[in-house]
Amino acid sequence: IPKGLSFLFGGPPCQGFSTSNQRTRNTLNPKNWLFFEFFRFAKAIRPDWIVLENVKGLRETAHGQFEELIRDQFSQLGYAADVWTLGAADFGVPQKRFRLFFIGRKNGNLPPPPISAKTTEVTVRQAIADLPCLSVGADIDELNYRSRRPSSYALDMRKGATTCTGHLVTKNSHLVQSRYPHIPPGGNWQNIPRRLMKNYTNLIDSRSRHTGIYRRLVWD
């Protein structure tokens, strides 16, 4: 990045644009309009580059109305803008996560980051097989890595560390725990018997349930 250039990077609230939100994913959700606050800062700062990040569901919300409004804000401030949808897995991150990027610029051009055809996705096993095994309600934060041979990705993430943190596990109820054995690798809440899901509403309408609920990763 050339010296002397200024950047404004931010992400307005995304909950109202997420595909997991089918109740307030519309123009009536006040949080969906907070991108105007982002551009209020842009107008005051007038940076050389503006990067606005959000979930890709923003593009389809309200039939694309919010995308058009955001593009219009860039235009009103005198910025040319491009829109990219980028997947984390294409850049070596072990997540199937996509994000939307609005790139605004006063001058010049910026092509999307190149995605190499040789990029190999990092699997669940490669990413976390060296982490400690935990039980429900585990409350010891820092633990040693497991003794098994870690993948090259895991070694890179360790940066020479021999311990890792963040091992505080929610103590789920017996009802919640009874659901787990019914979920196959790659499965989700739909694999759980209805008798164990009675406290959930609108189960018949699968559109009201995000596929990430009770999602089990595939161990490969």
Side-chain angles (χ1 to χ4, degrees), residues 84 86 90-91 110-117 119:
W84 305 338
L86 303 178
D90 292 325
F91 301 94
L110 184 65
I115 299 175
S116 174
T119 300

Side-chain angles (χ1 to χ4, degrees), residues 179 182-194 214-215:
R179 295 167 179 162
H182 297 281
I183 309 170
N188 62 13
W189 69 272
Q190 293 173 308
N191 301 107
I192 301 172
R194 294 291 179 88
Y214 285 97
R215 168 69 70 181

Side-chain angles (χ1 to χ4, degrees), residues 129-150:
D130 64 326
L131 297 183
C133 291
L134 304 175
S135 59
V136 173
D139 59 0
I140 300 176
D141 181 47
E142 185 172 1
L143 295 168
N144 292 324
Y145 283 103
R146 297 174 71 180
S147 60
R148 65 174 56 196
R149 184 178 179 180

Side-chain angles (χ1 to χ4, degrees), residues 172-189:
N172 292 321
S173 68
H174 291 298
L175 174 60
V176 172
Q177 294 181 51
S178 70
R179 295 167 179 162
Y180 298 151
H182 297 281
I183 309 170
N188 62 13
W189 69 272

Side-chain angles (χ1 to χ4, degrees), residues 94 122-131 151 153-154 157:
V122 180
T123 68
V124 173
R125 186 187 298 272
Q126 290 170 332
I128 66 174
D130 64 326
L131 297 183
S151 67
Y153 173 85
M157 292 298 101

